[in-house]
Amino acid sequence: MTDRSIHIALTFDDNFWAPAYATMRSICLFSKRRSDLVFHLLHRTLTSQHKVDLEAISSEFGASLRWYDLDQSTLFKDIAARMPENKRLSNIVYARLIIDQLMDPSIARTLYLDCDMLVRDDIATLYDWDMQGAPIAAVRDSIGAWLTAGRDVASNRDIFDVAEPYFNAGLVLIDVAQWRAADIIGYMERAYAEGVMQRIYYDQDLLNLVFRGRWLQLPWRWNTIDARPVHEGLDPAILHYTGKAKPWFIITGMRRSVAFTRFYRHVMTNKIFYDFARHRRNRWWRRMLRLDRS
């Protein structure tokens, strides 16, 4: 019997449980194969209440959830402790690199998604995409040249060539066997020893180096980067809120600067939207009082 499962991987810590929920719920809402959805949740520091919130996805839509506690992963903890720290997103960004080592080895394909995304098209269309033998498929990043070349488009010329397409790693369709064969962790260790990891944009740059010239470019609508209101009329399939303004912000002016904010709020649900607002406010005060360093 053919396995019809649609395997989707997300990585997040407890401070991002609500956006993860919204991304998952948007996938389910627009899916015609909800019972085939299998969410692989690579998480850390997740509270029991927030786990209950996420489990509601299964009861509402019949999707399956598989949990991977990164705080129990020796491999992840070792990588996160030694690699350059991502101050904005935390070192949870490195979790996706070990997807192949955490998931069931029988899984042939998985779709990785960042949690600051809103899906509004059937994810099966993307999951079943003809990858034409490529190890990964992704969308070209509109600011890739700036990320790699920096000031005067002159930095890191010994590492990157801006003439080569550069993908955004917030959405990656993965051929798991080829991902495993690429030995991403081994490549990263060598890059760190040579001083390259200390100069590049964390895991996204690393993946672009590992799969240079070996990735399939997807249409832009499957990862609409820096999603703004102007994108709404272009029928994007996936909105990616990469800018500083986010659809979960309470401040009206900031919310209006990104696409589908009202719809996003109701996908997240009013309850979790306001729970998340309180969580972020409490966290801000704890950091101001130096009670919380996370």
Side-chain angles (χ1 to χ4, degrees):
M1 183 176 178
T2 303
D3 182 11
R4 287 174 46 84
S5 298
I6 300 172
H7 296 279
I8 300 167
L10 296 89
T11 62
F12 57 95
D13 62 20
D14 194 59
N15 291 317
F16 229 68
W17 103 94
Y21 171 84
T23 297
M24 294 163 65
R25 192 162 187 257
S26 69
I27 291 169
C28 294
L29 286 167
F30 283 89
S31 175
K32 297 177 181 177
R33 293 167 51 188
R34 292 166 180 160
S35 62
D36 292 336
L37 296 171
V38 182
F39 291 103
H40 298 262
L41 307 180
L42 285 64
H43 65 89
R44 61 181 307 269
T45 65
L46 189 63
T47 66
S48 58
Q49 180 54 57
H50 293 164
K51 186 174 181 180
V52 169
D53 289 338
L54 292 164
E55 287 173 338
I57 293 292
S58 181
S59 57
E60 182 178 8
F61 298 105
S64 300
L65 308 184
R66 298 183 186 177
W67 304 89
Y68 306 81
D69 186 350
L70 295 171
D71 290 325
Q72 303 303 314
S73 169
T74 302
L75 176 59
F76 171 76
K77 289 191 292 186
D78 175 60
I79 293 169
R82 292 188 298 108
M83 290 299 145
E85 181 183 1
N86 188 315
K87 292 182 172 58
R88 183 172 68 89
L89 300 173
S90 88
N91 281 3
I92 192 74
V93 297
Y94 294 113
R96 80 181 99 185
L97 304 182
I98 59 174
I99 283 175
D100 61 298
Q101 301 188 47
L102 296 176
M103 294 172 59
D104 189 319
S106 67
I107 296 172
R109 176 179 290 200
T110 190
L111 175 64
Y112 169 83
L113 292 176
D114 276 353
C115 294
D116 56 349
M117 288 181 155
L118 175 71
V119 177
R120 51 181 304 278
D121 207 334
D122 193 342
I123 207 69
T125 302
L126 177 58
Y127 189 80
D128 294 335
W129 205 275
D130 180 3
M131 296 178 67
Q132 302 175 31
I136 66 169
V139 173
R140 184 172 182 175
D141 198 315
S142 55
I143 62 169
W146 176 80
L147 289 172
T148 59
R151 182 173 295 178
D152 299 329
V153 200
S155 303
N156 289 346
R157 279 187 177 171
D158 57 322
I159 302 175
F160 291 101
D161 182 346
V162 297
E164 294 180 339
Y166 175 98
F167 62 84
N168 180 279
L171 179 146
V172 186
L173 184 59
I174 300 169
D175 179 306
V176 179
Q178 293 192 70
W179 179 276
R180 185 177 296 117
D183 186 23
I184 296 169
I185 299 303
Y187 191 109
M188 183 172 65
E189 296 286 7
R190 293 188 294 274
Y192 185 76
E194 295 166 1
V196 172
M197 282 300 298
Q198 295 86 331
R199 296 169 55 193
I200 64 177
Y201 188 66
Y202 310 108
D203 60 319
Q204 179 165 283
D205 274 5
L206 176 72
L207 290 172
N208 270 274
L209 291 174
V210 171
F211 296 108
R212 174 182 280 165
R214 298 193 300 129
W215 60 281
L216 178 72
Q217 185 171 335
L218 296 169
W220 68 269
R221 67 186 298 269
W222 290 104
N223 184 358
T224 308
I225 298 161
D226 194 17
R228 301 283 182 163
V230 69
H231 290 121
E232 294 182 4
L234 300 176
D235 190 29
I238 299 179
L239 290 303
H240 193 177
Y241 301 106
T242 54
K244 291 184 178 180
K246 305 295 184 183
W248 53 79
F249 284 177
I250 293 294
I251 301 172
T252 304
M254 296 192 75
R255 285 193 291 114
R256 285 178 178 169
S257 69
V258 298
F260 293 105
T261 53
R262 184 177 293 275
F263 181 66
Y264 183 94
R265 171 174 165 176
H266 292 298
V267 169
M268 183 179 277
T269 73
N270 277 327
K271 177 187 180 301
I272 292 183
F273 182 87
Y274 287 111
D275 284 349
F276 190 42
R278 284 189 290 271
H279 174 88
R280 289 184 292 108
R281 184 182 63 235
N282 293 340
R283 182 173 176 240
W284 184 87
W285 275 112
R286 289 182 64 83
R287 294 180 73 175
M288 289 300 100
L289 296 172
R290 300 191 177 186
L291 299 173
D292 186 356
R293 299 282 184 177
S294 65

